[in-house]
Amino acid sequence: MNATPLPPPTALDEVLAVVRGAGGPLATETVPLALALGRVLRETIVAPEDQPPFARSAVDGFAVRVDDTATEFRIVDFLRAGDWRPRTLAPGEVVRIATGAALPADGLQVIMVEDTAVEASCVRVLRRDTERHVRERGEDARRGQPLVNAPCRLSAGALALLASLGAATPRVARQPRVVHVATGNELVPPEQTPATGQIRDSNTTLVRAFLAARGLTAQHLRAPEDFAAATTLLRDPAHGAAETDLLLISGGASVGEHDFTRRLLTDLGYEILVAKAATRPGKPLLVARRGTALAFGLPGNPLAHFVCLHLFVQAALDAFAGLPPTSPFRDGLLAADLDNDGNGRETLWPAHLVAHDSALTLEPLRWISSGDLSSLARANAFIRVPAGTGRLARGTRVAFVPTSPSP
Ligand code: AMP
Ligand code: MG
């Protein structure tokens, strides 16, 4: 049914390179901090003033002049965090001070409350060390110093830093507008009981969760296995067809009589960049481009979805965000033998990743077919097994891609 003969399968690294090269950075926008988690920063954030901007007490205690060596003092004020009452201390005077409060003058030291005995408005020093217990102005950062470099994905910690610097509406990469289409006459929604021959659609849930973990949402559609109807659906301006940045089509990517994704993408004006990947699972993968938009035809098998989303679609999201290309692969050790069969394609094997004795170890999960969902629930990684590899023994060093935060 496809218009032109299929080019040879594209190797995994090449697919990654094609995706990175095709997905241009999306525009920049500003967002409030409350919506900025996981967004990619587009401006370097500098300290607008010294951090901290004033000398603060690091402890609860009594501020005295460093050169005042008396052991009994008169308490002349009590400063809490937020107070600002500068004063010059005379010999024999102390100011009671709380953690975080601004010191009333230069040249002071804070004696910890634990090292004192208080009687009415007097304090006796029981122990005096050389530590000043002061967080000096500018000791964390100097005014103008770059503190968060762009581009980077904003973590909870980075957001806290931005908040402290007053960067309340950072400039970040715009989020891609995503449309996901599940194709297949055999599919029924999860809440429905399938008749014989039918199955429940699990890929929509998988795609939704993958996107949600990245702060993204999609418009989820169901397309009938009918070329004309699917084309009409995807051209419908009500679905924002023209504004789509990322089109994900589940199923129909291979060469069966009803597998029309390739023709559909061509008809919608997409240029096919990859028509097949030399990977298992994921062979009938399609990657296509229309202007700055990208489309993926994802093989319907759930395991293929799992792998292609975390490998190739992730690369597209990073490219949209304007992040520099980095390898998704990390090194780990096999926690058990992996029974590969010498397949001629690179295999991406679902695995359970655990930190063990300071190494990352991977337990290969049972895998009979790419349609198996039972192993997916525990899969938080997949192992890259080179083409032509047979059994790999426990302890072998392997490359893997983590799919959830590391253990
Ligand atoms: P296809 O890529 O359309 O040839 O589909 C390959 C396999 O994946 C078939 O067994 C389909 O039934 C299955 N499949 C396709 N779409 C989904 C889906 N949304 N959820 C679960 N399985 C699917
Ligand atoms: Mg299908």
Side-chain angles (χ1 to χ4, degrees), residues 23-389:
L26 297 177
T28 300
E29 64 182 13
T30 56
V31 287
L33 288 176
L35 299 178
L37 182 64
R39 300 292 293 270
V40 171
L41 189 66
R42 282 275 171 83
E43 59 176 337
T44 292
I45 303 292
V46 301
E49 56 201 335
D50 290 346
Q51 301 297 320
F54 50 87
R56 325 172 66 186
S57 178
V59 294
D60 287 318
F62 296 89
V64 299
R65 282 164 50 158
V66 173
D67 60 6
D68 190 348
T69 53
T71 52
E72 293 216 356
F73 294 91
R74 197 165 56 81
I75 303 169
V76 294
D77 198 359
F78 182 12
L79 296 172
R80 294 176 175 81
D83 290 342
W84 173 229
R85 282 194 295 279
R87 69 182 295 149
T88 308
L89 289 182
E93 287 183 343
V94 291
V95 166
R96 187 165 194 153
I97 193 161
T99 305
L103 287 162
D106 292 335
L108 301 183
Q109 167 187 20
V110 182
I111 300 167
M112 291 198 291
V113 77
E114 295 88 333
D115 293 339
T116 63
V118 182
E119 278 160 37
S121 61
C122 287
V123 59
R124 197 151 40 85
V125 175
L126 307 175
R127 202 182 77 87
R128 188 156 175 181
D129 56 31
T130 50
E131 178 62 53
R132 290 187 54 226
H133 300 296
V134 172
R135 291 197 56 217
E136 300 291 357
R137 172 182 174 153
E139 74 173 23
D140 195 15
R142 284 290 176 193
R143 178 191 169 139
Q145 189 178 325
L147 291 181
V148 189
N149 290 313
C152 75
R153 252 184 224 291
L154 290 168
S155 63
L159 289 180
L161 176 57
L162 263 56
S164 77
L165 300 174
T169 50
R171 288 161 54 76
V172 296
R174 170 172 82 68
Q175 293 281 60
R177 287 180 282 258
V178 188
V179 172
H180 169 248
V181 192
T183 71
N185 288 346
E186 73 278 30
L187 303 178
V188 298
E191 58 278 10
Q192 206 168 305
T193 305
T196 303
Q198 296 183 319
I199 58 165
R200 294 191 179 93
D201 170 8
S202 56
N203 286 338
T204 297
T205 299
L206 184 59
V207 170
R208 190 184 282 119
F210 169 82
L211 294 172
R214 287 147 184 83
L216 292 167
T217 53
Q219 188 172 164
H220 292 277
L221 306 173
R222 276 287 316 277
E225 229 151 12
D226 171 309
F227 178 73
T231 315
T232 308
L233 180 80
L234 286 175
R235 282 189 191 285
D236 190 340
H239 298 140
E243 292 97 55
T244 304
D245 298 303
L246 180 63
L247 173 61
L248 304 174
I249 303 184
S250 291
S254 63
V255 291
E257 195 169 323
H258 301 288
D259 294 329
F260 55 69
T261 305
R262 188 158 177 246
R263 199 149 62 91
L264 182 67
L265 290 175
T266 309
D267 207 68
L268 290 168
Y270 282 88
E271 174 200 355
I272 307 290
L273 305 174
V274 172
K276 222 181 202 187
T279 62
R280 179 179 65 154
K283 185 178 170 195
L285 174 80
L286 288 166
V287 182
R289 169 178 53 192
R290 183 180 70 187
T292 55
L294 284 183
F296 287 84
L298 302 168
N301 279 317
L303 192 53
H305 257 64
F306 184 73
V307 164
C308 292
L309 285 170
H310 288 96
L311 205 48
F312 305 127
V313 176
Q314 183 64 57
L317 296 178
D318 290 348
F320 282 144
L323 288 170
T326 48
S327 170
F329 295 102
R330 297 171 63 185
D331 271 351
L333 301 176
L334 282 183
D337 294 351
L338 188 157
D339 267 319
N340 201 41
D341 58 1
N343 195 284
R345 286 183 276 149
E346 280 202 84
T347 300
L348 300 155
W349 196 292
H352 186 70
L353 169 67
V354 275
H356 184 73
D357 282 350
S358 77
L360 293 176
T361 66
L362 295 126
E363 175 200 337
L365 296 171
R366 184 177 161 275
W367 178 20
I368 294 170
S369 121
S370 310
D372 294 341
L373 278 149
S374 52
S375 64
L376 267 191
R378 283 189 74 226
N380 58 358
F382 47 85
I383 299 165
R384 181 179 196 174
V385 184
T389 308

Side-chain angles (χ1 to χ4, degrees), residues 14-26:
E14 210 180 321
V15 178
L16 281 176
V18 166
V19 171
R20 285 175 185 143
L26 297 177

